[in-house]
Amino acid sequence: MIKKLLKYSQIFLLIAGSALLPKLANASTVVGTDGAVAINVDWEAKKRSSWFIEYQRYGTQLIENAIQVEDDKAIRTGILCLDWGFAKQGSDGSFPGTGDPFHSTSLFVESAARAVYLLKNYSPSTYTKDSTYYNGKISTYTSKLKLAGKWFMDPAVYVPGKKNDSPYTHRRYILASLLGQIGQLVSDSGMVTAAAAYATEGISLQMHSGTEQITYPNGNVVTVDMNGVDPELGGFDVNYQDAGLLFAQRYLPYCKDSTLASNLKQTLALGMNWLINRTDNAGNIDITGSTRVGIEKNPDGTVKLLNTTEVEQCFNAAAVNLNDTRYKVAYIRMTQGLGTGFSPAIAASGAAGSNIPWENGTASSWSLSQQKAGADWISNGIALENDPMIQEGLLIFNWGFSKQLSDGSFGTTTSSFLATAQFMEAVARSCQMLNNYHPVLDTASEGIYNSTVSTYLTHLASAASWITRSDISTNGIRTSAPYTSRFYAVAAALAETGSLLNKSSLRTAADKYITIALPMQFTSGINPENGVSDVNTQALGLRYAERYFSSATNSALKTTLSVMLTKGLTWENQWVDASGNIKGTSSPDRVWLSDCFNLSYNIIGVKSYLIVVNRLNNSNN
């Protein structure tokens, strides 16, 4: 499995300890103009003889993700899907005619209850929502959910339903989640009690001992430890282990019994530990030996595959609910993998991009700035806890440092002042990340990283001595004069290096470049580049300004800088629409824009910045 590299903005969210954005619902899922989903569209077209209410829970996926990007149109599409489902509800709360009536209904009702809570708590920062429309839907759904909850409480319904569900542990947690949510929503103590009973039964079914031998296609026989398995059809199933754990976590906020909540967390910890042990460092999950996935068929006749979206959501939720960073790393590995499609290209020597032909003798010049790519490899490697990626980043940096002269400069590199600043900033930032890197899944020795950082600090001190020399800085300021972003790049390099070396003189030098750059901003919020505005370079400059902010100590300058960032991002924001499309440039750099909004979100705390990050990261463009 090869996937794209993790975006730096997502990495920053990990480092900052924030929750990551849930993966978008499958964009290939068909939604009819009236809200019917997938096979229900075919049923309406009389191409199928049966329909299943569970498919309409896709509406909640759409709502959840649309809220993250504050896309009112997409939210309404999700509501349309739920409307289609509720239009099929009978007067007793059931959904007459659906296939698999008890289980399929439980899936839809559970999701619809989650949608109500999402809509109740939705307060967009980028537009004013139509409260009348939303409140109307919440009220209607609440009444219908109460009716459905009563149906699930009817002995004539749940007795045969429970009998049919008995081989499937995960279904206890679906019922616990739906009744727990509805019970709290409509203040029904009976539903709350029933939800707790289902959760308790699910907990009691978890295995705490035993082993099972499975045979792989290559003939290898492996013994699986069953401690932590929530059994499905008498064995383990990776797909439904995850499903049960996810629904258990959805129930957890509505569990009012502290003892039960504690027991549930212990069950989650064991179950998640078993699940993560079947996940490799590329985010692939081994389903071999599962009793259902890869064997059974879906209602549409296709073979059941691993529901990767739910597994990702489960890991992401467990990182928070169990306060365990391992699951956040697993989530990132699953969503991003260990892809190698990276720009620029890297040679075996560590030369990056245009430095490769120079090294091969087919180009006449080289640029140290190309080697700043090492920071991307290191930041991705840290987020994924992948030592080879980190080592690749160090190799790229080492190639750059191999060109450093005794005076701290980098000889014949083009644009020596700017290139040195950009390379210094990338190295200094990487050193900060490595100093704070304590892997929980990877077994690489932190001592190796510490030794490398120590060596880099010596190189950085030498480079800083050169770039702050009076003649070098004077000439650098002259050549950088029309370019706002360049002053912020130098400021970031010196501030981060000064922080690492604990040298106030370098921080003071960094402040000088900030005082040059700040007055260059236009009243419109444009940070000019050679007299013109540019979406990409403005984002690049803002990134460097934000990195300076994180290492600087001059409080007065930081206050002024935050005003500049706000105005600069207001100008940038107009070029990103609700779907994450970037206007104003023919070659948008999505990562640069995402980074600058995300870093400022962590500095200034404006919610709308995070919404822009979500829009950019979730765009299919």
Side-chain angles (χ1 to χ4, degrees), residues 31 130 277 300 440 600-601:
V31 177
D130 183 346
N277 285 335
D300 63 1
V440 293
S600 276
Y601 170 72

Side-chain angles (χ1 to χ4, degrees), residues 70-72 75 122 124-130 134 615:
E70 296 192 355
D71 186 343
D72 185 68
I75 292 173
Y122 181 44
S125 60
T126 59
Y127 73 96
T128 301
K129 72 176 182 180
D130 183 346
Y134 281 96
R615 289 172 175 176

Side-chain angles (χ1 to χ4, degrees), residues 55-290:
Y55 279 87
Q56 299 305 125
R57 72 188 190 276
Y58 181 69
T60 299
Q61 277 191 280
L62 291 177
I63 291 170
E64 182 176 24
N65 286 283
I67 283 175
Q68 298 289 340
V69 296
E70 296 192 355
D71 186 343
D72 185 68
K73 182 180 178 181
I75 292 173
R76 290 173 185 250
T77 299
I79 288 172
L80 188 65
C81 297
L82 298 181
D83 284 347
W84 190 97
F86 277 123
K88 300 292 185 288
Q89 188 176 34
S91 59
D92 63 347
S94 68
F95 291 81
T98 181
D100 197 3
F102 186 80
H103 178 55
S104 193
T105 298
S106 71
L107 287 169
F108 173 72
V109 172
E110 191 279 337
S111 73
R114 283 191 290 114
V116 166
Y117 283 101
L118 289 168
L119 295 173
K120 282 170 70 73
N121 295 321
Y122 181 44
S123 179
S125 60
T126 59
Y127 73 96
T128 301
K129 72 176 182 180
D130 183 346
S131 295
T132 301
Y133 169 78
Y134 281 96
N135 291 340
K137 291 298 179 183
I138 290 169
S139 177
T140 298
Y141 290 171
T142 298
S143 297
K144 291 181 176 294
L145 286 168
K146 182 176 182 179
L147 197 61
K150 293 295 186 184
W151 183 76
F152 277 103
M153 293 291 289
D154 185 344
V157 173
Y158 72 73
V159 170
K162 288 179 65 175
K163 182 178 180 181
N164 188 58
D165 282 356
S166 60
Y168 312 107
T169 301
H170 82 282
R171 295 188 180 183
R172 275 71 166 184
Y173 294 119
I174 297 173
L175 294 163
S177 181
L178 81 86
L179 288 172
Q181 290 181 80
I182 298 173
Q184 180 167 312
L185 184 65
V186 301
S187 300
D188 189 309
S189 60
M191 292 184 192
V192 171
T193 300
Y198 279 117
T200 300
E201 186 177 354
I203 291 171
S204 71
L205 294 173
Q206 187 174 72
M207 300 177 67
H208 297 143
S209 63
T211 59
E212 183 174 312
Q213 286 193 329
I214 58 174
T215 303
Y216 284 81
N218 62 6
N220 288 346
V221 178
V222 175
T223 300
V224 177
D225 184 357
M226 299 294 279
N227 182 30
V229 166
D230 296 332
E232 292 278 322
L233 290 178
F236 71 81
D237 185 273
V238 172
N239 206 39
Y240 288 97
Q241 173 90 3
D242 155 72
L245 295 170
L246 178 59
F247 283 110
Q249 292 185 86
R250 288 174 176 170
Y251 165 67
L252 192 58
Y254 305 96
C255 177
K256 302 308 177 184
D257 183 326
S258 59
T259 300
L260 176 58
S262 177
N263 291 339
L264 186 57
K265 283 189 175 183
Q266 292 178 31
T267 300
L268 285 169
L270 278 174
M272 290 300 305
N273 191 64
W274 184 89
L275 187 62
I276 202 171
N277 285 335
R278 296 191 68 79
T279 307
D280 68 17
N281 67 356
N284 301 306
I285 296 186
D286 184 1
I287 66 171
T288 307
S290 294

Side-chain angles (χ1 to χ4, degrees), residues 432 494-503 506-507 550-552:
Q432 290 175 340
L494 292 173
E496 289 173 320
T497 302
S499 178
L500 282 167
L501 298 174
N502 195 26
K503 284 193 173 183
L506 293 183
R507 291 195 181 99
S550 298
S551 295

